[in-house]
Amino acid sequence: MAAIEKRSRGDWQELDRKHYLHPFTNHKELHVQRARIITRADGVYIYDADGHKMLDGMSGLWCVNAGYGRQELIDAATRQMQELPYYNSFFQCAHPPAIELASIIREVSPAQFNRVFFAGSGSESNDTIVRMVRTYWDLMGQPERHTIISRNNAYHGSTVAAASLSGMKAMHKQSGLPIPGIVHVDQPYWFGSDQSLTPDEFGLVAARSIETKILELGPEKVAAFIGEPIQGAGGVVVPPDSYWPEVQRICDKYGILLISDEVITGFGRLGKWFGADHFKTRPDFMTFAKGVSSGYLPLGGVMVSDRVADVLIDKGGEFYHGYTYSGHPVACAVAIANIKLIQRDKLVERIRDDIGPYLQKKWATLMDHPLVGDTRMVGLMGAFEIVKTKDPLERFDEKQGVGPMCRDNLIASGLCLRAVGDTIICAPPFVLSHSEADELIETTWKALDLTQKALAE
Ligand code: PXG
């Protein structure tokens, strides 16, 4: 028996409009346009209530890395629900799925990580880090070291602390954020700059804005720096090669903790297990979520390095923090099956050596389209920039909505990508085949042509 009764698209849209408040949504607009109702999925394809088939170039929301319909993940959930659907890890309890998952995650993480704290999402995980970072410095006898530096246009989540870490002005404006002790510096977005510097020069300048901020605040007040290896929601901002080594140097120089937010980049997306492996940073914390369970169940967490964990454990007493669903057994069982699947099918290596280079090469050819002013892709995480003219470089007025127009053309043509202003971003499932990659590129061309035609009219 189906768990949810069948209704027509119109009925779903009507019920949706009446009762469902969506995340990050302008409801007034939605009530006119109506929601796109997605009803099923298989492999790399999603289907809406009208049966319209779309290649999911965003892996859901950067998470369904193993693709849809993976029986081993479904079986793992079913078996765990039968055996132990829930128990907590509070009050000196634990259960096999959480313990096993913590030890498996350690195996695929950089060497400094031996401990994991589980949460239900990336946002919760970053809230956990804020508390751990400050507790760490308290225990180190430096309670004034509480300020965390983040970046403009970063996205670290939507809870109060995670939204404060995020560098999105519109979010901050709505609820009196950021909370005290969180400050922001420049992002390493070379294409968005005036391009008077080379990318490497620009990368150094962006990194040194962290040092300037440290000196302005006083190094003895700065607890940590947080960054996504590649900014995702901000528009797949790939930093110049010079950026991360300089950030690492600055963190080392002032003894500041480095937090690598791997919610999107973790578990293989860049062709390495973590973005820290790709950029050769040595973080003290890594945030993860999304890809750990391929999004089949909500799960997030924090990798805590020995530097921090040893202090928290040896000196900290009880850490007054945790979630009912920290280490949820069913989510953990699915994550174990997901990581085993990624290992068995060598999906990380596949991104590094096969489908990654294959799609990157084709993605770069989008530069030949008159509307495309830049392309970039690392592993299976990419973007292109829509421009009005290439030489001299001129962008559209964002109010014209050319990015969203292109996104709508993409969806109508059968490809789900996302628009961040006039930047179109792409993060397909790791199991994308060569022919599906060809389809992704052909559909993108088609949608760009439709957009160009509409602009000409
Ligand atoms: N850190 C990073 C780097 C993220 O990308 C979070 C933390 C928060 O995770 P949760 O699980 O609390 O959502 C994210 C989430 C988008 C989009 O539009 C991106 C995210 C979430 C929703 C939308 O690209 N990333």
Side-chain angles (χ1 to χ4, degrees):
M1 197 182 78
I4 295 168
E5 73 179 90
K6 285 214 178 321
R7 298 177 198 269
S8 70
R9 169 171 54 82
D11 285 353
W12 283 124
Q13 288 174 323
E14 190 54 22
L15 269 183
D16 173 69
R17 197 178 67 76
K18 280 190 185 148
H19 305 298
Y20 186 19
L21 292 173
H22 298 212
F24 275 92
T25 294
N26 178 331
H27 284 85
K28 215 164 174 182
E29 268 175 30
L30 179 77
H31 292 175
V32 177
Q33 290 159 3
R34 302 293 167 115
R36 292 187 295 121
I37 310 291
I38 308 300
T39 50
R40 66 187 180 90
D42 187 34
V44 299
Y45 292 99
I46 54 175
Y47 298 82
D48 71 14
D50 293 328
H52 177 55
K53 177 181 175 186
M54 288 162 281
L55 201 167
D56 183 6
M58 282 307 297
S59 307
L61 209 46
W62 320 85
C63 52
V64 188
N65 295 347
Y68 297 94
R70 301 306 298 250
Q71 195 58 44
E72 51 261 76
L73 303 194
I74 300 161
D75 290 344
T78 309
R79 275 198 309 270
Q80 188 57 45
M81 284 214 181
Q82 287 161 341
E83 184 114 357
L84 180 72
Y86 176 76
Y87 205 73
N88 65 71
S89 302
F90 287 55
F91 319 128
Q92 314 218 342
C93 293
H95 46 68
I99 302 168
E100 174 90 359
L101 179 61
S103 81
I104 290 178
I105 292 179
R106 181 200 69 86
E107 277 168 30
V108 298
S109 298
Q112 69 271 33
F113 293 108
N114 285 294
R115 269 81 159 224
V116 188
F117 186 96
F118 289 117
S121 67
S123 301
E124 286 178 4
S125 304
N126 280 325
D127 275 48
T128 298
I129 290 178
V130 170
R131 300 209 45 210
M132 281 190 177
V133 159
R134 291 178 172 174
T135 304
Y136 168 81
W137 285 116
D138 290 349
L139 293 169
M140 294 294 286
Q142 300 184 52
E144 70 286 5
R145 260 205 201 250
H146 271 199
T147 300
I148 301 175
I149 301 178
S150 181
R151 302 177 297 183
N152 297 324
N153 199 37
Y155 188 71
H156 298 294
S158 273
T159 50
V160 169
S164 296
L165 292 171
S166 298
M168 301 197 159
K169 290 210 169 52
M171 288 178 81
H172 290 172
K173 223 167 101 186
Q174 268 177 345
S175 24
L177 302 178
I179 55 172
I182 293 177
V183 298
H184 298 82
V185 298
D186 298 338
Q187 58 172 334
Y189 181 30
W190 178 79
F191 190 80
S193 75
D194 65 10
Q195 302 188 5
S196 59
L197 301 176
T198 65
D200 275 339
E201 287 167 351
F202 180 81
L204 289 178
V205 170
R208 286 176 191 156
S209 73
I210 302 167
E211 189 160 29
T212 306
K213 185 59 85 180
I214 292 170
L215 294 173
E216 182 190 312
L217 295 162
E220 71 288 354
K221 298 231 168 73
V222 181
F225 170 76
I226 183 168
E228 305 152 78
I230 294 175
Q231 284 153 260
V236 183
V237 177
V238 180
D241 292 342
S242 60
Y243 182 75
W244 278 112
E246 184 65 3
V247 173
Q248 182 71 62
R249 182 193 70 75
I250 293 166
C251 288
D252 290 345
K253 181 172 171 190
Y254 298 99
I256 288 162
L257 298 169
L258 175 61
I259 306 158
S260 190
D261 185 338
E262 304 267 0
V263 166
I264 288 175
T265 50
F267 297 95
R269 180 151 295 281
L270 304 185
K272 292 274 168 70
W273 278 93
F274 292 92
D277 301 320
H278 179 83
F279 289 109
K280 300 191 170 58
T281 53
R282 294 182 310 283
D284 300 292
F285 290 95
M286 294 198 303
T287 323
F288 65 85
K290 296 191 190 271
V292 66
S293 58
S294 278
Y296 277 55
L297 281 174
L299 180 69
V302 178
M303 299 298 305
V304 186
S305 66
D306 293 342
R307 170 185 175 186
V308 176
D310 288 347
V311 172
L312 294 180
I313 292 167
D314 290 345
K315 299 193 189 169
E318 181 168 346
F319 184 49
Y320 303 109
H321 176 83
Y323 308 106
T324 300
Y325 300 129
S326 283
H328 191 287
V330 184
C332 288
V334 168
I336 293 166
N338 178 58
I339 294 171
K340 286 190 173 159
L341 180 160
I342 292 172
Q343 288 174 319
R344 184 199 63 203
D345 295 351
K346 297 195 173 8
L347 293 182
V348 183
E349 295 83 348
R350 182 170 184 270
I351 292 179
R352 187 188 64 205
D353 302 330
D354 177 10
I355 190 63
Y358 186 83
L359 186 64
Q360 288 155 22
K361 199 163 153 214
K362 299 216 156 202
W363 189 257
T365 65
L366 295 171
M367 259 315 258
D368 296 337
H369 197 282
L371 279 182
V372 176
D374 185 50
T375 68
R376 47 188 185 262
M377 184 173 278
V378 181
L380 287 182
M381 183 170 180
F384 65 80
E385 305 271 3
I386 301 178
V387 298
K388 197 168 178 182
T389 57
K390 299 196 202 200
D391 194 14
L393 177 65
E394 200 188 330
R395 315 245 17 199
F396 290 99
D397 181 346
E398 240 187 74
K399 288 196 205 86
Q400 233 179 302
V402 179
M405 184 200 298
C406 182
R407 186 254 344 262
D408 290 347
N409 286 328
L410 282 158
I411 290 172
S413 307
L415 172 60
C416 212
L417 297 181
R418 224 166 74 58
V420 179
D422 287 348
T423 310
I424 302 290
I425 61 180
C426 174
F430 297 180
V431 294
L432 187 80
S433 69
H434 285 209
S435 64
E436 288 158 352
D438 296 346
E439 180 189 329
L440 189 155
I441 298 296
E442 279 156 26
T443 312
T444 304
W445 266 98
K446 188 173 154 197
L448 279 164
D449 285 345
L450 286 171
T451 308
Q452 192 185 17
K453 206 166 143 229
L455 286 167
E457 283 161 8

